[in-house]
C-alpha cells in the first residue's frame, strides 16, 4: 500500500480557509514563480475552481512536482467537492478521487471521471488505497481529513505554511479532539511566500 498523506496549504495560525471557504492569500505562491509544477505547464484548477497554470518558485517546484507525481488518489470531503465542482473531473494530481459524502455523485456528472463516493472515512481510505496501488493517497485537510487522521489512518502530515494570519475560519485539523504527536519534520523547504513541511505521524 502507498503512503497516506494529509495535505493542505495553511496559514501560520492553522487555517485552510475563512468561514466562507475563501482561501484569501493562501494560494498566491502557486502563481508567483516562473517554474511550472507540471512539465507541460498544464491548465490546472486552484481551490476556487478557476483554471490557471500553476507557476511556483524553483524551490517549491522541486518539492511539489515529485510529490504530485506520486499521488494516485485524492480523498476529499463533499464540501470541497461542491466548492470546486470536483475540478470538473480533472483533479490537480492523481488519477482517482474518493469523495466522503452521504450524498451520491450528482446524476450525470462527468461519467468518464474516476470519482467514487463513499460515506465512511475508513471505507474511503480502503477504496483510495485500492485505486492508488503503491502510489500515494493524498487526503485533503479539514473536517474529513481530521476524521481520517483521528482514526489513525494517516502516515504523514504535509503542510504548505503561508505567512498569513486568519484569526478564524476552517482549521487544518478540523475539530479534532485530544493531543496527537508527530515526529520531527523530515522535510523543511523554504519557497517564495511558503514553507513546505512534512511530518511522519508518531505511532
Amino acid at each position: 500500500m502507498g503512503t497516506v498523506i494529509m495535505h493542505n496549504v495553511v496559514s501560520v495560525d492553522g487555517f485552510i480557509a475563512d468561514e466562507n471557504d475563501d482561501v484569501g492569500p493562501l494560494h498566491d505562491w502557486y502563481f508567483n514563480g516562473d517554474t511550472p509544477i507540471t512539465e507541460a505547464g498544464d491548465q490546472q484548477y486552484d481551490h476556487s475552481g478557476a483554471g490557471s497554470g500553476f507557476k511556483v518558485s524553483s524551490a517549491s517546484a522541486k518539492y511539489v512536482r515529485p510529490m504530485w507525481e506520486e499521488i494516485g488518489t485524492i480523498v476529499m470531503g463533499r464540501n470541497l467537492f461542491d466548492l470546486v465542482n470536483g475540478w470538473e473531473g480533472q483533479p490537480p494530481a492523481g488519477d482517482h478521487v474518493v469523495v466522503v459524502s452521504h450524498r451520491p455523485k450528482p446524476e450525470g456528472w462527468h461519467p468518464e471521471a474516476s470519482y467514487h463516493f463513499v460515506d465512511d472515512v475508513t471505507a474511503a481510505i480502503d477504496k483510495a488505497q485500492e485505486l492508488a496501488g503503491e502510489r500515494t493517497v493524498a487526503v485533503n485537510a479539514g473536517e474529513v481529513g481530521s476524521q481520517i487522521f483521528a482514526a489513525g489512518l494517516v502516515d504523514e502530515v504535509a503542510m504548505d505554511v503561508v505567512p498569513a494570519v486568519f484569526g478564524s475560519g476552517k482549521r487544518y485539523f478540523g475539530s479534532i479532539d485530544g493531543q496527537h504527536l508527530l515526529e520531527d519534520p523530515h522535510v523543511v523547504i523554504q519557497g517564495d511566500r511558503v514553507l513546505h513541511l512534512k511530518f511522519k505521524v508518531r505511532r
Side-chain angles (χ1 to χ4, degrees):
M1 293 292 182
T3 303
V4 177
I5 297 178
M6 183 175 171
H7 173 248
N8 235 89
V9 183
V10 61
S11 68
V12 292
D13 57 341
F15 295 98
I16 59 176
D18 68 15
E19 291 92 341
N20 299 314
D21 292 303
D22 187 348
V23 297
L26 292 184
H27 288 188
D28 289 356
W29 66 273
Y30 276 126
F31 310 101
N32 67 3
D34 55 11
T35 308
I37 291 176
T38 55
E39 292 286 358
D42 296 328
Q43 291 293 95
Q44 300 290 357
Y45 294 89
D46 66 12
H47 182 94
S48 67
S52 189
F54 289 138
K55 285 193 172 183
V56 299
S57 68
S58 59
S60 288
K62 287 174 186 172
Y63 167 72
V64 176
R65 184 180 289 166
M67 182 177 173
W68 282 21
E69 288 172 351
E70 277 296 310
I71 293 171
T73 306
I74 290 175
V75 178
M76 66 194 305
R78 185 59 182 252
N79 184 53
L80 179 56
F81 175 86
D82 288 342
L83 275 173
V84 302
N85 196 27
W87 302 295
E88 301 297 340
Q90 299 178 6
D95 302 314
H96 314 280
V97 174
V98 175
V99 182
V100 181
S101 175
H102 294 295
R103 291 178 285 139
K105 183 191 298 187
E107 191 172 343
W109 184 88
H110 293 286
E112 78 288 350
S114 181
Y115 278 57
H116 308 263
F117 286 62
V118 298
D119 63 1
D120 174 81
V121 294
T122 302
I125 294 300
D126 288 344
K127 183 65 177 177
Q129 289 189 314
E130 173 193 327
L131 293 166
E134 295 302 313
R135 297 174 74 192
T136 298
V137 171
V139 176
N140 283 108
E143 287 301 330
V144 166
S146 72
Q147 292 171 34
I148 294 169
F149 180 83
L153 301 173
V154 172
D155 300 309
E156 292 185 18
V157 169
M159 309 176 90
D160 300 319
V161 183
V162 170
V165 176
F166 273 39
S168 64
K170 306 293 178 73
R171 294 184 179 278
Y172 182 101
F173 286 103
S175 52
I176 197 167
D177 289 326
Q179 294 184 2
H180 301 265
L181 294 180
L182 308 175
E183 300 296 348
D184 289 337
H186 61 96
V187 173
V188 181
I189 296 172
Q190 184 174 337
D192 184 1
R193 301 295 295 168
V194 63
L195 179 66
H196 306 289
L197 300 172
K198 260 190 182 181
F199 309 81
K200 292 186 186 301
V201 177
R202 182 171 290 183
R203 301 296 188 194

